[in-house]
Amino acid sequence: MLEYVEKFEKTVYAVIMLMLMIVLVAGMFDLVSLLWKFLWEESPLLLQAKEMISLLGAFLLVLIGVELLDTIKAYFRENTIHVEIVVLLAIIAVARKVLLLDPLGLSPFEYGFEMISIGVIILGLSAGYYMIKKAGITIGPDGIKRSV
């Protein structure tokens, strides 16, 4: 019975990996079209601040997808989840949130509270990433392991 469950699990991961690759290709097309639009159509060879923020947001979204694909690929290859990749992915996602944050739509109190909250999240994720890298922890089918 466990063999069937493992085969099913591998099939689900393979389908997720295939769908993620399709999403990454679409994200790349979106990034290229945004770059083309901003560089050649809107204001030739001159990026405005909002355009730069949009481009960086699209770039980081593709980067998040690549990291997700790397996580699934590592699980396929080694049958382990690399926790440091997942935490790094969270750090990139929070960085994307900071870049796309629009202070004009918030009151000064809301904006300050959101920035402090994001800072606490970044500190926690960074500390966790540091400790995971220092300990060399990965999670596999046999539980938590420390790589030497």
Side-chain angles (χ1 to χ4, degrees):
M1 182 65 174
L2 287 178
E3 292 175 31
Y4 293 118
V5 171
E6 286 181 23
K7 285 181 183 178
F8 177 74
E9 188 178 58
K10 291 281 188 185
T11 304
V12 168
Y13 273 112
V15 170
I16 287 174
M17 202 150 83
L18 181 65
M19 288 188 299
L20 186 57
M21 289 183 335
I22 292 169
V23 168
L24 279 173
V25 168
M28 286 294 296
F29 279 127
D30 183 46
L31 180 60
V32 168
S33 71
L34 272 177
L35 185 63
W36 180 264
K37 176 182 160 190
F38 291 151
L39 278 181
W40 303 112
E41 293 175 9
E42 303 268 328
S43 52
L45 297 176
L46 182 63
L47 288 175
Q48 303 298 321
K50 286 205 175 249
E51 295 170 344
M52 182 70 87
I53 289 171
S54 294
L55 278 173
L56 287 175
F59 178 79
L60 286 174
L61 194 59
V62 170
L63 186 61
I64 288 169
V66 169
E67 289 296 327
L68 266 172
L69 190 63
D70 192 40
T71 301
I72 296 170
K73 191 172 61 175
Y75 180 78
F76 247 104
R77 199 177 314 129
E78 303 164 12
N79 209 22
T80 60
I81 297 172
H82 290 267
V83 181
E84 69 271 7
I85 295 174
V86 176
V87 174
L88 185 62
L89 185 64
I91 291 170
I92 294 169
V94 172
R96 182 177 183 272
K97 169 68 176 164
V98 169
L99 281 174
L100 298 178
L101 188 62
D102 185 16
L104 298 178
L106 302 171
S107 72
F109 176 76
E110 290 173 328
Y111 183 71
F113 185 74
E114 190 158 353
M115 290 306 290
I116 290 170
S117 302
I118 289 172
V120 169
I121 291 170
I122 289 174
L123 284 174
L125 286 171
S126 300
Y129 183 75
Y130 173 77
M131 288 188 277
I132 288 167
K133 284 302 268 188
K134 190 170 182 162
I137 297 172
T138 53
I139 299 175
D142 303 327
I144 297 174
K145 291 183 181 178
R146 290 185 64 181
S147 55
V148 183

